[in-house]
Amino acid sequence: MNAGARLTIYGIGVVVAFGGAFGLASAIVPPSVVSEWKEGAEMNSHDGGHDAATTAAEESANVAADSLKGLSLGLEGYVLSPVEAPGAVATSGELQVQILDAAGTPVTDYTTAHDKDLHLIVVRSDGSLFRHVHPTLDESTGMWSLPWEWTEAGTYRVFADFTPAGTDAPSLTLTRTVQVAGEFTPVAPQPTQTAQVGDFTVSLDGDLTVGTAKDLTLTVTRDGKPVTALEPYLGAFGHLVALRDGDLAYLHVHAKGEEPEVGETSGPEIEFAAEAPTAGRYFLYLDFQVDGQVHTAEFVVDAASGDDAAVSDGDSHDDGH
């Protein structure tokens, strides 16, 4: 495997969740409730049944708070402003957003991460029409903007992934919903582990499993031949976004190790370790660059519970005998 080919989870480790730094517990389970769960567990520790149930609920909330992103418009004192964009299909204009601090002041100073100060992800709620773009900052107003036109109607989620400068805040991902008028035909993505992008074919090998980190391997070929000329893009040979179907909880995945040198190439395989927070369907989007051109391969994967995976592994072992 070429240098820099192994991917690792961005932020807190190896949990695939979908959509950026929005804690699910903070969005759905208030901290006060989690605190009450904890107190209840301590008070009822003499009762095995109550203690076990309470501990499970508390641990579930803690896992959600630590691992799930992309579920809130505000976090750590920062807020994503309402998104200004064309309101209908085939209308040219600009997409504009601001990051506001706790005082409501636009943020203009950021820490560069993966070659950019801010990454903007836009995707329709059914997982289609994914775009990963990098708007321009007006430092006088704190407004991020870029030319924009919607190709299809529907409800969209906009994710802003950034790191504030000069603070102890971690990398954050905030989100807003945008409604686009026009005739809407939703799609129902089905599981697929092969993506065709122009004359590139990208295959995904491996399974997502709840509670267990598993290796996933992405292999890029072109006209049936392995691609060994993957170029650095955003400081890595591969850039993966994963979104959970249903709430679009968000996660970034990036290459492990040092950033590639200028002119360095890799391929055809890109690997990362991933652990699903819950059973269910996930959308995966891989950005890769060849000959200066960025391509996006899209996949739909169903994650099994840890118990289901264990049974499947056991059945496979029995069959072998």
Side-chain angles (χ1 to χ4, degrees), residues 144-185:
W144 292 93
S145 62
L146 76 166
W148 197 263
E149 183 174 321
W150 305 102
T151 59
E152 294 188 30
T155 299
Y156 287 79
R157 287 279 292 281
V158 176
F159 300 93
D161 190 350
F162 64 97
T163 302
T167 72
D168 294 329
S171 173
L172 302 176
T173 310
L174 306 181
T175 189
R176 285 275 187 175
T177 298
V178 177
Q179 305 292 346
V180 180
E183 185 175 349
F184 174 46
T185 303

Short mmCIF file of all heavy atoms in Angstrom, two decimals, residues 144-185:
data_model
loop_
_atom_site.label_atom_id
_atom_site.label_comp_id
_atom_site.label_asym_id
_atom_site.label_seq_id
_atom_site.Cartn_x
_atom_site.Cartn_y
_atom_site.Cartn_z
N TRP A 144 -19.29 34.28 4.08
CA TRP A 144 -18.77 33.30 3.13
C TRP A 144 -19.73 33.21 1.96
O TRP A 144 -20.95 33.10 2.16
CB TRP A 144 -18.66 31.92 3.79
CG TRP A 144 -17.62 31.81 4.86
CD1 TRP A 144 -17.80 31.99 6.21
CD2 TRP A 144 -16.24 31.49 4.68
NE1 TRP A 144 -16.61 31.80 6.87
CE2 TRP A 144 -15.64 31.48 5.97
CE3 TRP A 144 -15.45 31.20 3.56
CZ2 TRP A 144 -14.29 31.20 6.17
CZ3 TRP A 144 -14.11 30.92 3.76
CH2 TRP A 144 -13.53 30.92 5.04
N SER A 145 -19.21 33.24 0.72
CA SER A 145 -20.12 33.22 -0.42
C SER A 145 -19.47 32.57 -1.62
O SER A 145 -18.24 32.50 -1.74
CB SER A 145 -20.55 34.65 -0.78
OG SER A 145 -19.43 35.43 -1.15
N LEU A 146 -20.32 32.10 -2.53
CA LEU A 146 -19.88 31.56 -3.82
C LEU A 146 -21.08 31.55 -4.76
O LEU A 146 -22.24 31.49 -4.32
CB LEU A 146 -19.28 30.17 -3.69
CG LEU A 146 -20.21 28.96 -3.50
CD1 LEU A 146 -19.44 27.67 -3.73
CD2 LEU A 146 -20.84 28.96 -2.10
N PRO A 147 -20.83 31.63 -6.08
CA PRO A 147 -21.93 31.56 -7.04
C PRO A 147 -22.70 30.26 -6.87
O PRO A 147 -22.09 29.21 -6.62
CB PRO A 147 -21.22 31.63 -8.40
CG PRO A 147 -19.90 32.28 -8.10
CD PRO A 147 -19.52 31.81 -6.74
N TRP A 148 -24.04 30.32 -7.03
CA TRP A 148 -24.83 29.12 -6.76
C TRP A 148 -26.08 29.05 -7.63
O TRP A 148 -26.73 30.07 -7.89
CB TRP A 148 -25.25 29.10 -5.29
CG TRP A 148 -25.69 27.74 -4.83
CD1 TRP A 148 -26.96 27.27 -4.73
CD2 TRP A 148 -24.82 26.69 -4.41
NE1 TRP A 148 -26.96 25.98 -4.28
CE2 TRP A 148 -25.65 25.60 -4.07
CE3 TRP A 148 -23.44 26.56 -4.29
CZ2 TRP A 148 -25.13 24.39 -3.62
CZ3 TRP A 148 -22.93 25.36 -3.84
CH2 TRP A 148 -23.76 24.29 -3.50
N GLU A 149 -26.41 27.84 -8.03
CA GLU A 149 -27.66 27.57 -8.75
C GLU A 149 -28.09 26.15 -8.44
O GLU A 149 -27.30 25.21 -8.53
CB GLU A 149 -27.48 27.76 -10.26
CG GLU A 149 -28.77 27.56 -11.06
CD GLU A 149 -28.61 27.90 -12.52
OE1 GLU A 149 -27.90 28.89 -12.83
OE2 GLU A 149 -29.18 27.18 -13.38
N TRP A 150 -29.35 25.98 -8.05
CA TRP A 150 -29.89 24.66 -7.76
C TRP A 150 -30.33 23.98 -9.04
O TRP A 150 -30.96 24.60 -9.89
CB TRP A 150 -31.08 24.76 -6.81
CG TRP A 150 -30.81 25.47 -5.53
CD1 TRP A 150 -31.17 26.76 -5.22
CD2 TRP A 150 -30.14 24.95 -4.38
NE1 TRP A 150 -30.76 27.08 -3.95
CE2 TRP A 150 -30.13 25.99 -3.40
CE3 TRP A 150 -29.56 23.73 -4.07
CZ2 TRP A 150 -29.57 25.82 -2.14
CZ3 TRP A 150 -29.00 23.56 -2.81
CH2 TRP A 150 -28.99 24.59 -1.87
N THR A 151 -30.02 22.71 -9.18
CA THR A 151 -30.43 21.96 -10.37
C THR A 151 -31.73 21.20 -10.15
O THR A 151 -32.44 20.88 -11.10
CB THR A 151 -29.35 20.95 -10.79
OG1 THR A 151 -29.10 20.04 -9.70
CG2 THR A 151 -28.05 21.67 -11.14
N GLU A 152 -32.05 20.92 -8.87
CA GLU A 152 -33.29 20.22 -8.56
C GLU A 152 -33.89 20.77 -7.27
O GLU A 152 -33.17 21.26 -6.39
CB GLU A 152 -33.05 18.71 -8.42
CG GLU A 152 -32.62 18.03 -9.71
CD GLU A 152 -32.57 16.52 -9.59
OE1 GLU A 152 -33.36 15.97 -8.78
OE2 GLU A 152 -31.75 15.89 -10.29
N ALA A 153 -35.20 20.67 -7.16
CA ALA A 153 -35.90 21.17 -5.97
C ALA A 153 -35.80 20.17 -4.83
O ALA A 153 -35.37 19.04 -4.99
CB ALA A 153 -37.36 21.43 -6.32
N GLY A 154 -36.20 20.63 -3.63
CA GLY A 154 -36.22 19.75 -2.48
C GLY A 154 -35.74 20.45 -1.22
O GLY A 154 -35.49 21.66 -1.20
N THR A 155 -35.60 19.67 -0.16
CA THR A 155 -35.06 20.15 1.10
C THR A 155 -33.59 19.78 1.17
O THR A 155 -33.23 18.61 1.02
CB THR A 155 -35.81 19.53 2.28
OG1 THR A 155 -37.19 19.90 2.22
CG2 THR A 155 -35.24 20.01 3.60
N TYR A 156 -32.74 20.77 1.42
CA TYR A 156 -31.30 20.55 1.45
C TYR A 156 -30.75 20.84 2.83
O TYR A 156 -31.27 21.68 3.56
CB TYR A 156 -30.59 21.45 0.44
CG TYR A 156 -30.80 21.04 -1.00
CD1 TYR A 156 -31.97 21.36 -1.67
CD2 TYR A 156 -29.82 20.33 -1.69
CE1 TYR A 156 -32.17 20.98 -2.99
CE2 TYR A 156 -30.00 19.95 -3.01
CZ TYR A 156 -31.18 20.27 -3.65
OH TYR A 156 -31.37 19.89 -4.96
N ARG A 157 -29.66 20.16 3.15
CA ARG A 157 -28.89 20.46 4.36
C ARG A 157 -27.56 21.08 3.94
O ARG A 157 -26.88 20.57 3.04
CB ARG A 157 -28.64 19.19 5.17
CG ARG A 157 -29.90 18.68 5.87
CD ARG A 157 -30.18 19.42 7.18
NE ARG A 157 -29.15 19.11 8.16
CZ ARG A 157 -29.13 17.99 8.88
NH1 ARG A 157 -30.06 17.08 8.73
NH2 ARG A 157 -28.16 17.81 9.76
N VAL A 158 -27.20 22.16 4.61
CA VAL A 158 -25.93 22.83 4.39
C VAL A 158 -25.09 22.66 5.65
O VAL A 158 -25.53 23.04 6.74
CB VAL A 158 -26.13 24.33 4.08
CG1 VAL A 158 -24.78 25.04 3.95
CG2 VAL A 158 -26.94 24.49 2.79
N PHE A 159 -23.90 22.07 5.50
CA PHE A 159 -22.99 21.84 6.62
C PHE A 159 -21.77 22.74 6.48
O PHE A 159 -21.14 22.76 5.42
CB PHE A 159 -22.50 20.39 6.65
CG PHE A 159 -23.60 19.37 6.78
CD1 PHE A 159 -24.17 18.79 5.66
CD2 PHE A 159 -24.05 18.98 8.03
CE1 PHE A 159 -25.17 17.83 5.77
CE2 PHE A 159 -25.06 18.03 8.15
CZ PHE A 159 -25.62 17.46 7.02
N ALA A 160 -21.44 23.47 7.53
CA ALA A 160 -20.22 24.28 7.56
C ALA A 160 -19.25 23.63 8.53
O ALA A 160 -19.54 23.50 9.72
CB ALA A 160 -20.53 25.70 7.99
N ASP A 161 -18.09 23.22 8.01
CA ASP A 161 -17.08 22.52 8.80
C ASP A 161 -15.88 23.46 8.95
O ASP A 161 -15.26 23.86 7.96
CB ASP A 161 -16.69 21.24 8.07
CG ASP A 161 -15.83 20.32 8.91
OD1 ASP A 161 -15.36 20.76 9.98
OD2 ASP A 161 -15.60 19.16 8.50
N PHE A 162 -15.53 23.82 10.19
CA PHE A 162 -14.49 24.84 10.40
C PHE A 162 -13.87 24.69 11.79
O PHE A 162 -14.40 23.98 12.67
CB PHE A 162 -15.10 26.24 10.28
CG PHE A 162 -16.12 26.54 11.35
CD1 PHE A 162 -15.77 27.24 12.50
CD2 PHE A 162 -17.44 26.12 11.21
CE1 PHE A 162 -16.71 27.52 13.49
CE2 PHE A 162 -18.38 26.37 12.20
CZ PHE A 162 -18.02 27.08 13.34
N THR A 163 -12.75 25.38 12.00
CA THR A 163 -12.09 25.43 13.30
C THR A 163 -11.84 26.90 13.65
O THR A 163 -11.10 27.58 12.94
CB THR A 163 -10.75 24.68 13.29
OG1 THR A 163 -10.98 23.32 12.90
CG2 THR A 163 -10.10 24.72 14.66
N PRO A 164 -12.44 27.43 14.72
CA PRO A 164 -12.20 28.82 15.09
C PRO A 164 -10.74 29.01 15.50
O PRO A 164 -10.15 28.14 16.15
CB PRO A 164 -13.14 29.04 16.29
CG PRO A 164 -14.12 27.91 16.24
CD PRO A 164 -13.39 26.76 15.63
N ALA A 165 -10.17 30.14 15.15
CA ALA A 165 -8.79 30.43 15.52
C ALA A 165 -8.73 31.02 16.93
O ALA A 165 -9.66 31.68 17.39
CB ALA A 165 -8.17 31.41 14.54
N GLY A 166 -7.61 30.76 17.62
CA GLY A 166 -7.38 31.37 18.91
C GLY A 166 -8.28 30.90 20.02
O GLY A 166 -8.46 31.61 21.02
N THR A 167 -8.90 29.72 19.89
CA THR A 167 -9.75 29.19 20.95
C THR A 167 -9.40 27.72 21.18
O THR A 167 -8.66 27.11 20.41
CB THR A 167 -11.24 29.27 20.55
OG1 THR A 167 -11.53 28.29 19.54
CG2 THR A 167 -11.59 30.65 20.05
N ASP A 168 -9.96 27.18 22.24
CA ASP A 168 -9.78 25.77 22.53
C ASP A 168 -10.88 24.93 21.90
O ASP A 168 -10.93 23.71 22.11
CB ASP A 168 -9.76 25.54 24.05
CG ASP A 168 -8.56 26.18 24.71
OD1 ASP A 168 -7.51 26.27 24.04
OD2 ASP A 168 -8.67 26.60 25.88
N ALA A 169 -11.77 25.56 21.16
CA ALA A 169 -12.88 24.82 20.55
C ALA A 169 -12.34 23.85 19.51
O ALA A 169 -11.40 24.15 18.78
CB ALA A 169 -13.85 25.80 19.88
N PRO A 170 -12.92 22.67 19.44
CA PRO A 170 -12.48 21.70 18.44
C PRO A 170 -13.02 22.06 17.07
O PRO A 170 -13.75 23.05 16.93
CB PRO A 170 -13.12 20.40 18.94
CG PRO A 170 -14.39 20.87 19.60
CD PRO A 170 -14.03 22.17 20.26
N SER A 171 -12.66 21.29 16.09
CA SER A 171 -13.27 21.47 14.78
C SER A 171 -14.77 21.28 14.92
O SER A 171 -15.24 20.34 15.56
CB SER A 171 -12.69 20.44 13.80
OG SER A 171 -13.39 20.49 12.58
N LEU A 172 -15.53 22.19 14.34
CA LEU A 172 -16.99 22.18 14.48
C LEU A 172 -17.66 21.99 13.13
O LEU A 172 -17.13 22.39 12.10
CB LEU A 172 -17.46 23.50 15.10
CG LEU A 172 -16.87 23.85 16.47
CD1 LEU A 172 -17.36 25.23 16.90
CD2 LEU A 172 -17.25 22.81 17.50
N THR A 173 -18.83 21.41 13.15
CA THR A 173 -19.66 21.31 11.95
C THR A 173 -21.07 21.72 12.32
O THR A 173 -21.72 21.07 13.13
CB THR A 173 -19.67 19.89 11.37
OG1 THR A 173 -18.33 19.42 11.24
CG2 THR A 173 -20.33 19.87 10.01
N LEU A 174 -21.52 22.84 11.76
CA LEU A 174 -22.85 23.36 12.02
C LEU A 174 -23.71 23.22 10.78
O LEU A 174 -23.19 23.16 9.66
CB LEU A 174 -22.76 24.83 12.44
CG LEU A 174 -21.82 25.13 13.61
CD1 LEU A 174 -21.84 26.62 13.94
CD2 LEU A 174 -22.17 24.30 14.84
N THR A 175 -25.02 23.17 10.95
CA THR A 175 -25.89 22.88 9.82
C THR A 175 -27.15 23.73 9.81
O THR A 175 -27.63 24.19 10.86
CB THR A 175 -26.30 21.39 9.82
OG1 THR A 175 -26.97 21.07 8.60
CG2 THR A 175 -27.18 21.06 10.99
N ARG A 176 -27.68 23.95 8.63
CA ARG A 176 -28.96 24.62 8.40
C ARG A 176 -29.70 23.90 7.28
O ARG A 176 -29.10 23.25 6.43
CB ARG A 176 -28.75 26.07 7.98
CG ARG A 176 -28.35 27.03 9.07
CD ARG A 176 -29.54 27.56 9.84
NE ARG A 176 -29.16 28.62 10.78
CZ ARG A 176 -30.04 29.31 11.50
NH1 ARG A 176 -31.33 29.11 11.35
NH2 ARG A 176 -29.61 30.23 12.35
N THR A 177 -31.03 24.06 7.29
CA THR A 177 -31.88 23.49 6.25
C THR A 177 -32.30 24.58 5.28
O THR A 177 -32.60 25.70 5.69
CB THR A 177 -33.12 22.83 6.87
OG1 THR A 177 -32.71 21.77 7.73
CG2 THR A 177 -34.04 22.28 5.78
N VAL A 178 -32.31 24.24 3.99
CA VAL A 178 -32.71 25.18 2.95
C VAL A 178 -33.80 24.53 2.09
O VAL A 178 -33.66 23.38 1.68
CB VAL A 178 -31.52 25.57 2.05
CG1 VAL A 178 -31.97 26.50 0.94
CG2 VAL A 178 -30.43 26.24 2.89
N GLN A 179 -34.87 25.27 1.83
CA GLN A 179 -35.96 24.78 0.98
C GLN A 179 -35.82 25.38 -0.42
O GLN A 179 -35.67 26.59 -0.55
CB GLN A 179 -37.32 25.16 1.57
CG GLN A 179 -37.55 24.70 3.00
CD GLN A 179 -37.66 23.20 3.15
OE1 GLN A 179 -37.82 22.47 2.17
NE2 GLN A 179 -37.58 22.71 4.38
N VAL A 180 -35.89 24.52 -1.44
CA VAL A 180 -35.75 24.97 -2.82
C VAL A 180 -37.03 24.62 -3.58
O VAL A 180 -37.41 23.45 -3.67
CB VAL A 180 -34.53 24.32 -3.51
CG1 VAL A 180 -34.41 24.81 -4.94
CG2 VAL A 180 -33.26 24.62 -2.72
N ALA A 181 -37.70 25.65 -4.10
CA ALA A 181 -38.97 25.45 -4.78
C ALA A 181 -38.77 24.84 -6.16
O ALA A 181 -37.73 25.03 -6.81
CB ALA A 181 -39.70 26.80 -4.91
N GLY A 182 -39.78 24.11 -6.60
CA GLY A 182 -39.74 23.48 -7.91
C GLY A 182 -40.33 22.09 -7.84
O GLY A 182 -40.66 21.58 -6.77
N GLU A 183 -40.49 21.46 -8.99
CA GLU A 183 -41.01 20.09 -9.03
C GLU A 183 -40.00 19.15 -8.39
O GLU A 183 -38.83 19.11 -8.75
CB GLU A 183 -41.27 19.68 -10.47
CG GLU A 183 -41.94 18.33 -10.59
CD GLU A 183 -42.29 17.99 -12.03
OE1 GLU A 183 -42.20 18.90 -12.88
OE2 GLU A 183 -42.63 16.82 -12.29
N PHE A 184 -40.48 18.38 -7.40
CA PHE A 184 -39.58 17.56 -6.59
C PHE A 184 -39.87 16.09 -6.78
O PHE A 184 -41.00 15.64 -6.59
CB PHE A 184 -39.75 17.95 -5.12
CG PHE A 184 -38.99 17.07 -4.16
CD1 PHE A 184 -37.66 16.73 -4.39
CD2 PHE A 184 -39.61 16.59 -3.02
CE1 PHE A 184 -36.97 15.93 -3.51
CE2 PHE A 184 -38.92 15.79 -2.12
CZ PHE A 184 -37.61 15.46 -2.37
N THR A 185 -38.84 15.35 -7.16
CA THR A 185 -38.95 13.89 -7.29
C THR A 185 -37.89 13.26 -6.40
O THR A 185 -36.71 13.20 -6.77
CB THR A 185 -38.75 13.44 -8.73
OG1 THR A 185 -39.69 14.10 -9.58
CG2 THR A 185 -38.94 11.93 -8.86
#
